[in-house]
Amino acid sequence: MRFTKTILSFAVAGAIMGGAVTSASADTYTNAGQGTYNSGYSQNYNGGYTGQSNTTNNTVTTNTTSSTADQVVDLAKQLATQSIPYVWGGESLSGMDCSGLTDYVYQKAAGISLGHYTVTQESHVTKKAVSAAQPGDLLFWGNEGASYHVAIYIGNNQYVAAPQPGQNVEVETINSAFMPSFAGSVTG
């Protein structure tokens, strides 16, 4: 599949009388033989957004309000369907490693830069037990201060990860054979 992505992004700041800062983004994807997909959203200062999407073959319009965590989870799940290969040191749609995935998702969905190293990303979270993880939290493998793998928890005992060379970004299930060591809520 070939996708062409056009991104339009702008910001408008409210002025007198308590106006809110608002940004908007519109993406267009053209998929050969399958029509064009447009998605747009307007994000306000409190992290919520209203979304709208349209498909040319079957027009679908949705309007929702979502939290930053929902935006992170939605983008992570979307990336897991795009056959993005594991590439050590990568953090683009042509390839990414585990910390590149988490940094990419948080930058695009929430405007938060986590850095491209698991231990650096630990400094951007409030740590908690894996059993207390909420959708949008990061899961870490290894000791605190020496983590070696990170992923995005999406709920229902599942996470999105860039696992290892030879595999694509994918949804995986937490299991005792490869159990995360701790979780963390991103603080910015």
Side-chain angles (χ1 to χ4, degrees), residues 3-9 24-30 36-41 93:
F3 291 94
T4 304
K5 184 173 182 179
T6 306
I7 299 174
L8 169 65
S9 208
S25 176
D27 298 336
T28 302
Y29 303 91
T30 303
T36 301
Y37 173 79
N38 295 311
S39 82
Y41 62 87
L93 297 178

Side-chain angles (χ1 to χ4, degrees), residues 69-80:
D70 291 337
Q71 292 175 52
V72 166
V73 169
D74 290 346
L75 180 56
K77 286 179 177 179
Q78 182 182 34
L79 295 178

Side-chain angles (χ1 to χ4, degrees), residues 1-4 30-32 34 81-83:
M1 289 193 257
R2 282 181 25 179
F3 291 94
T4 304
T30 303
N31 188 354
Q34 295 182 5
T81 67
Q82 294 184 7
S83 300

Side-chain angles (χ1 to χ4, degrees), residues 66-77 105-106 128-139 151-160 174 183-186:
S66 178
S67 71
T68 299
D70 291 337
Q71 292 175 52
V72 166
V73 169
D74 290 346
L75 180 56
K77 286 179 177 179
V105 169
Y106 266 89
K128 60 172 101 174
V130 173
S131 61
Q134 296 295 310
D137 285 351
L138 298 183
L139 300 175
I152 299 170
Y153 185 68
I154 59 172
N156 297 320
N157 219 32
Q158 294 185 312
Y159 58 91
V160 174
I174 294 175
S185 298
V186 174

Side-chain angles (χ1 to χ4, degrees), residues 157-178:
N157 219 32
Q158 294 185 312
Y159 58 91
V160 174
Q164 62 188 2
Q167 290 184 290
N168 293 331
V169 172
E170 63 187 12
V171 174
E172 297 186 347
T173 301
I174 294 175
N175 67 67
S176 60
F178 189 60

Side-chain angles (χ1 to χ4, degrees), residues 119-133:
V119 175
T120 302
Q121 292 183 5
E122 287 182 40
S123 68
H124 291 276
V125 302
T126 300
K127 295 172 181 80
K128 60 172 101 174
V130 173
S131 61

